[in-house]
Amino acid sequence: MDDGGIQEEPPSARRLTPKRSGGGSRWVDASEVDSSESARWSLDEERSLRGLSTADEAEAEAEAEIEFVMPSEADMAAGALSRKSSSGGFRRRLGKRAKRVDSLYVEAMNVQGAHGHSDQDISLLSTVAMAFQTLGVVYGDMGTSPLYVFSDVFSKVPIKSEVEILGALSLVMYTIALIPFVKYVFIVLKANDNGEGGTFALYSLICRYAKVSLLPNQQRVDEDISSFRLKLPTPELQRALSVKECLEKKPLFKNILLFLVLMGTSMVIGDGILTPSMSVMSAVSGLQGQVAGFDTDAVVIVSILVLLLLFSVQRFGTGKVGFMFAPVLALWFLNLSSLGIYNIIKYEPSVVKAFNPMYIYLFFKMNGTKAWSALGGCVLCITGAEAMFADLGHFTVKSIQVAFTAVVFPCLLIAYMGQAAYLMKYPLAADRIFYDSVPEVLFWPVFVIATLAAMIASQAMISATFSCIKQAMALGCFPRIKIIHTSKKVMGQIYIPVMNWFLMVMCIIIVATFRSTNDIANAYGIAEVGVMMVSTALVTLVMLLIWQTNLVFVLCFFIFFGAMEFVYLTAVMSKLLEGGWLPLAFSSLFLCIMYTWNYGSVLKYQSEMRGKISLDFILDLGSTLGTVRVPGIGLVYNELVQGIPSIFGQLLVTLPAMHSTIVFVCIKYVPVPYVPLEERFLFRRVGHKDYHMFRCVARYGYKDVRKEDHCFFEHLLVESLEKFLRREAQEIALEVSTMEVERDDVSDVSEIPPSHATAAGDLHVPLLSDQRLVDDNRMLGTDGSVPLLPSSSISPEEDPSLEYELTALREAMASGFTYLLAHGDVRARKQSFFTKKFIINYFYAFLRRNCRVGTATLKVPHSNIMRVGMTYMV
């Protein structure tokens, strides 16, 4: 949605500067705190606990609204004696106060087990059951690779002796053992974000430990989310601190990191376009030598029909057919192992010699550049390895490790060994090695299982593509498009119509154009290797910044796997002209879309930050805001987490009246997978009480589902706002009581005889401490219990101002809600370079015009929406 707006020349606003005397804090009225510069509060303790730097403190001081803190129950109980009976200009002391808690629900900090599953104690039986389920979701693509790996390898290298067969088998075996097994199962899976995996999960994890996000909407209070679990690098480890400082202070490194993440995500999407075409066509091609007259045209037609069926049922959701995924893939892996054992025993048991890596050397020595080209075919045996990490959110690390170690890894090795044993006897059968190695009596059952397995493998990549698009949208890197949630129980099951039909059209074009699995295989694998290299770079950064791993191990990981993947990349790039350009073209298209959207969004946000309205300007207008206040609640949507957006000034000029209650709503995505409902909202007051203006920051994780009805959202927002008002009243009562106790302490100390002070020298210091201890003991009851706040501090009946505000809020709610949005046009400034003008004025503007309106997410009626035209000059 167009949240907020920025004028090129915002109205002039005066800035108030907090006054201090003697270098210390003084009593300041709330109205004296400016919208962009508030008085300094005590953050020394928090900085020592959280590792906040001076820059973080300055950012915390730049809060845009007057913020009321909600103390914990223990703080309220310990400090409550009585409530000051005065009203009006209450002066608050910002220099000395309790620990700041910037969340609506204080008790939300103690929510346990609200997110993820990676740290939960799961029984052995549950782990085994979950490992069984991973077969149908995670390993479909890798499990169907025996359909086409050897046929592609030996299309580049002719079989002249057993060296070619054993060398190719050894290459495949060690490729599977090193990259999926060693790298992903034992290393990469541990770099998860509260149980979530993928390139965006790694990026969000890094963003929590270092401020590398280009969108400057981070808040320290986000660290209080229970799933944040921030552990800053220890001061003793200078290397981690140096990496963190380097990432935060150099924009070049931030852009490089974002580019890597977007490139990895775009390659996953590009791989999702090729996987259905390759898997389905490989399975259907088995009929070509079995059914008379079933030629290439028939293979293409049947493959297109299967693809049409596959993409047509996507709108029903994977949950409708998910129950059959795991059994089918389990049967498929059983079939692979059984056929492999049968072929090894019947044809050539000596293929076990391929465990000797010397055959890899002989393979390259005898075939030279042809072997180098065939290395690109070996990459096909690990396509889908990234799915182990990307689909981690649906399972646990242990379940994926168990499934791969106990089932997938041994079954794949046996399957490839069986095919190699068959080739030792029939070397001319390389083109149809999988189906030719199947006994005649078992052909049709195996064909049916292979076709179902290919469709399931395609389904896994399609779902992964949907998930990547959703995560990119949540982190501001992809235009808003329609997302349909197909399951009420599983939040990750989504359906994106636009992407579904785009993938279907592209897959049909690929099948109709290439007409051969070998030709499609030439285009297959480049994107997969690119994603692997991106994950290697990001995990290396996680090792340096977060894990604080030994530098020798970090270098070994990066050099060993980086060099291996680079070798594979050079091999698959040799097929660039034979079709390898296709995934690169798709990946480049999505990379341009994502980077352009992020670039324009960052410039727009920075422009809004520069043009926000000062609180002085609003206070000068008075509580009527210079217009007529009518009953109702106006939700002013904007993207600013602090400050008053300039769209509000445009609304005051444009509209003849303004709502009695104004809430500035900011939908913000934080770098965590999920934000629980009890930690969703942050509230702050803007201006005095009689202004009835508030700021609300609604926080969502990048995997959270925003499908709530607008009525539910409105009800939840008002309910949360009421609780905020009650907490605010409690805090005021607490501060009044604390101030009175402090004044009593000072008066008691002043009554000490001068002679005592003279004789004891500095004795008044411990006496003051003792006096406070006496007062603390006096606050305890006779039974040692801590009395609660007086009922006057929390009861609306005895607090007239609170009762007035709650009544006004309910009356405004009864009058209805209005969504005030900016209908904006983003334009580059005249003095900008030509490239920037072209990107912003044409490409980014085209994406904004054709993306989905944000209010459609909440299904807001058109009669409740009011738009104001804005022009954003960036």
Side-chain angles (χ1 to χ4, degrees), residues 528-546:
E528 187 73 26
V529 177
V531 176
M532 291 178 183
M533 296 186 68
V534 170
S535 66
T536 299
L538 294 179
V539 172
T540 302
L541 187 57
V542 169
M543 288 180 173
L544 292 172
L545 180 63
I546 303 172

Side-chain angles (χ1 to χ4, degrees), residues 366-506:
M366 294 183 62
N367 296 280
T369 56
K370 292 182 178 180
W372 190 263
S373 179
L375 188 62
C378 292
V379 175
L380 301 180
C381 71
I382 55 174
T383 54
E386 183 67 22
M388 285 193 294
F389 188 48
D391 294 331
L392 180 60
H394 300 286
F395 307 99
T396 62
V397 173
K398 187 174 295 185
S399 65
I400 293 180
Q401 291 174 335
V402 169
F404 188 84
T405 305
V407 179
V408 178
F409 187 42
C411 288
L412 288 178
L413 291 186
I414 294 174
Y416 286 116
M417 292 172 66
Q419 292 184 16
Y422 186 85
L423 287 174
M424 298 280 281
K425 186 74 172 178
Y426 303 102
L428 299 179
D431 290 341
R432 298 182 70 254
I433 175 59
F434 178 79
Y435 286 107
D436 285 351
S437 64
V438 176
E440 185 71 22
V441 68
L442 297 177
F443 174 81
W444 287 107
V446 171
F447 172 77
V448 173
I449 297 175
T451 304
L452 292 176
M455 294 181 65
I456 293 173
S458 304
Q459 175 64 52
M461 289 307 301
I462 294 170
S463 300
T465 301
F466 292 164
S467 180
C468 288
I469 293 296
K470 182 182 181 298
Q471 293 183 20
M473 289 173 57
L475 295 178
C477 298
F478 201 85
R480 294 178 298 271
I481 54 181
K482 184 178 182 179
I483 296 179
I484 299 175
H485 301 272
T486 59
S487 174
K488 296 181 179 180
K489 297 180 180 180
V490 183
M491 291 188 293
Q493 293 183 1
I494 59 176
Y495 167 63
I496 303 179
V498 174
M499 287 302 303
N500 182 69
W501 303 125
F502 174 79
L503 292 176
M504 185 190 73
V505 172
M506 291 297 104

Side-chain angles (χ1 to χ4, degrees), residues 27-317:
W27 298 97
V28 224
D29 189 76
S31 62
E32 296 181 30
V33 185
D34 182 54
S35 64
S36 63
E37 187 176 355
S38 60
R40 182 184 302 271
W41 50 73
S42 298
L43 286 177
D44 296 335
E45 181 180 357
E46 290 191 19
R47 193 184 307 116
S48 63
L49 293 176
R50 301 181 180 273
L52 291 178
S53 60
T54 306
D56 297 327
E57 179 187 0
E59 178 182 349
E61 290 183 11
E63 289 295 331
E65 297 92 359
I66 305 165
E67 182 177 350
F68 291 89
V69 180
M70 293 155 290
S72 63
E73 294 180 2
D75 293 336
M76 292 186 294
L81 288 176
S82 61
R83 185 170 185 266
K84 190 174 180 179
S85 58
S86 61
S87 60
F90 170 63
R91 295 185 172 273
R92 309 174 63 197
R93 188 175 182 180
L94 298 181
K96 181 179 182 180
R97 60 192 307 171
K99 180 181 177 181
R100 301 176 60 85
V101 183
D102 201 13
S103 176
L104 175 62
Y105 298 100
V106 178
E107 59 271 17
M109 307 302 179
N110 301 320
V111 174
Q112 299 294 334
H115 320 278
H117 43 254
S118 57
D119 295 333
Q120 296 179 359
D121 294 330
I122 301 178
S123 64
L124 179 61
L125 183 61
S126 300
T127 301
V128 173
M130 201 173 293
F132 177 74
Q133 296 173 12
T134 61
L135 297 178
V137 178
V138 177
Y139 298 112
D141 192 9
M142 191 182 303
T144 55
S145 59
L147 288 169
Y148 44 78
V149 169
F150 276 153
S151 61
D152 183 75
V153 170
F154 293 115
S155 66
K156 306 293 189 301
V157 177
I159 299 177
K160 294 176 292 185
S161 65
E162 69 173 14
V163 173
E164 283 77 19
I165 299 175
L166 294 177
L169 176 60
S170 185
L171 267 176
V172 170
M173 293 169 59
Y174 281 100
T175 299
I176 298 176
L178 290 176
I179 294 183
F181 189 57
V182 176
K183 176 188 172 183
Y184 279 94
V185 171
F186 290 106
I187 300 177
V188 176
L189 285 180
K190 296 181 180 179
N192 61 83
D193 181 17
N194 291 315
E196 298 296 332
T199 52
F200 269 111
L202 286 173
Y203 182 63
S204 69
L205 186 64
I206 295 172
C207 287
R208 296 214 303 274
Y209 285 81
K211 297 179 180 179
V212 296
S213 176
L214 296 180
L215 197 64
N217 64 347
Q218 299 90 355
Q219 293 175 291
R220 191 215 58 79
V221 70
D222 294 335
E223 300 173 17
D224 294 331
I225 299 176
S226 55
S227 60
F228 212 93
R229 301 182 201 169
L230 186 60
K231 295 180 181 178
L232 291 177
T234 56
E236 293 78 14
L237 199 51
Q238 193 63 34
R239 171 171 51 84
L241 292 174
S242 301
V243 172
K244 179 176 182 291
E245 182 181 3
C246 185
L247 288 174
E248 291 180 346
K249 292 189 175 181
K250 296 186 178 180
L252 177 62
F253 291 151
K254 293 183 181 181
N255 284 278
I256 292 176
L257 181 61
L258 178 64
F259 179 80
L260 284 176
V261 173
L262 296 183
M263 182 174 65
T265 305
S266 63
M267 287 184 174
V268 170
I269 300 174
D271 199 22
I273 296 175
L274 291 176
T275 297
S277 307
M278 184 68 181
S279 300
V280 171
M281 200 169 185
S282 298
V284 175
S285 62
L287 296 175
Q288 195 167 3
Q290 188 71 19
V291 179
F294 199 86
D295 55 3
T296 303
D297 293 335
V299 172
V300 172
I301 294 174
V302 174
S303 299
I304 291 176
L305 292 177
V306 173
L307 288 172
L308 286 173
L309 176 63
L310 175 65
F311 285 101
S312 297
V313 300
Q314 292 298 314
R315 61 190 182 92
F316 298 106

Side-chain angles (χ1 to χ4, degrees), residues 300 304 506-516 519-520 581:
V300 172
I304 291 176
M506 291 297 104
C507 287
I508 292 176
I509 292 176
I510 290 172
V511 170
T513 303
F514 286 87
R515 302 174 62 85
S516 171
D519 293 337
I520 298 178
W581 57 269

Side-chain angles (χ1 to χ4, degrees), residues 333-391:
F333 281 111
L334 178 63
N335 168 68
L336 288 179
S337 59
S338 302
L339 290 176
I341 295 174
Y342 170 81
N343 289 325
I344 291 173
I345 296 175
K346 182 177 181 179
Y347 296 109
E348 189 60 60
S350 64
V351 292
V352 295
K353 293 187 296 183
F355 282 101
N356 184 357
M358 180 60 66
Y359 283 98
I360 299 177
Y361 169 75
L362 296 176
F363 179 73
F364 280 96
K365 181 180 179 181
M366 294 183 62
N367 296 280
T369 56
K370 292 182 178 180
W372 190 263
S373 179
L375 188 62
C378 292
V379 175
L380 301 180
C381 71
I382 55 174
T383 54
E386 183 67 22
M388 285 193 294
F389 188 48
D391 294 331

Side-chain angles (χ1 to χ4, degrees), residues 807-818:
T807 302
L809 179 61
R810 296 187 186 106
E811 292 178 354
M813 181 181 180
S815 300
F817 290 79
T818 302

Side-chain angles (χ1 to χ4, degrees), residues 456-742:
I456 293 173
S458 304
Q459 175 64 52
M461 289 307 301
I462 294 170
S463 300
T465 301
F466 292 164
S467 180
C468 288
I469 293 296
K470 182 182 181 298
Q471 293 183 20
M473 289 173 57
L475 295 178
C477 298
F478 201 85
R480 294 178 298 271
I481 54 181
K482 184 178 182 179
I483 296 179
I484 299 175
H485 301 272
T486 59
S487 174
K488 296 181 179 180
K489 297 180 180 180
V490 183
M491 291 188 293
Q493 293 183 1
I494 59 176
Y495 167 63
I496 303 179
V498 174
M499 287 302 303
N500 182 69
W501 303 125
F502 174 79
L503 292 176
M504 185 190 73
V505 172
M506 291 297 104
C507 287
I508 292 176
I509 292 176
I510 290 172
V511 170
T513 303
F514 286 87
R515 302 174 62 85
S516 171
T517 55
N518 288 334
D519 293 337
I520 298 178
N522 290 330
Y524 206 32
I526 294 181
E528 187 73 26
V529 177
V531 176
M532 291 178 183
M533 296 186 68
V534 170
S535 66
T536 299
L538 294 179
V539 172
T540 302
L541 187 57
V542 169
M543 288 180 173
L544 292 172
L545 180 63
I546 303 172
W547 291 354
Q548 303 171 12
T549 309
N550 185 279
L551 188 59
V552 175
F553 182 78
V554 175
L555 292 177
C556 291
F557 171 82
F558 179 75
I559 294 175
F560 180 77
F561 289 105
M564 180 185 301
E565 291 161 358
F566 179 76
V567 170
Y568 281 120
L569 181 65
T570 58
V572 295
M573 290 297 288
S574 64
K575 302 185 295 183
L576 190 63
L577 299 179
E578 302 174 10
W581 57 269
L582 187 62
L584 292 182
F586 285 129
S587 301
S588 300
L589 172 63
F590 282 96
L591 177 62
C592 291
I593 292 175
M594 289 190 288
Y595 201 87
T596 299
W597 186 263
N598 181 266
Y599 175 68
S601 300
V602 170
L603 291 180
K604 177 176 174 289
Y605 188 90
Q606 292 173 348
S607 179
E608 291 187 46
M609 287 292 293
R610 291 192 300 266
K612 61 184 180 181
I613 301 175
S614 170
L615 183 62
D616 277 351
F617 180 78
I618 301 300
L619 294 178
D620 289 343
L621 296 177
S623 60
T624 61
L625 300 177
T627 183
V628 180
R629 304 291 291 270
V630 296
I633 298 179
L635 302 180
V636 183
Y637 274 76
N638 65 101
E639 296 179 358
L640 298 182
V641 296
Q642 57 186 20
I644 302 175
S646 60
I647 180 183
F648 188 63
Q650 190 74 7
L651 290 170
L652 292 177
V653 174
T654 305
L655 302 182
M658 188 54 62
H659 301 81
S660 58
T661 299
I662 301 295
V663 181
F664 298 99
V665 180
C666 171
I667 304 296
K668 174 184 176 181
Y669 285 91
V670 291
V672 295
Y674 303 101
V675 176
L677 195 61
E678 59 269 19
E679 299 180 21
R680 177 81 67 211
F681 293 103
L682 296 176
F683 273 94
R684 299 172 187 165
R685 184 184 293 277
V686 181
H688 302 305
K689 285 190 174 183
D690 54 347
Y691 281 68
H692 301 292
M693 297 169 58
F694 306 92
R695 160 149 319 271
C696 171
V697 179
R699 302 178 297 179
Y700 291 84
Y702 58 83
K703 297 205 74 175
D704 268 325
V705 176
R706 287 189 58 206
K707 62 175 181 178
E708 61 263 19
D709 184 77
H710 74 98
C711 295
F712 172 77
F713 181 83
E714 294 165 359
H715 176 76
L716 184 63
L717 185 143
V718 172
E719 181 182 353
S720 304
L721 182 55
E722 287 185 359
K723 293 183 179 180
F724 165 76
L725 294 175
R726 296 179 188 275
R727 295 266 181 184
E728 179 191 75
Q730 292 175 353
E731 186 212 20
I732 294 177
L734 171 65
E735 292 193 357
V736 171
S737 302
T738 305
M739 291 159 46
E740 291 182 352
V741 171
E742 290 178 351

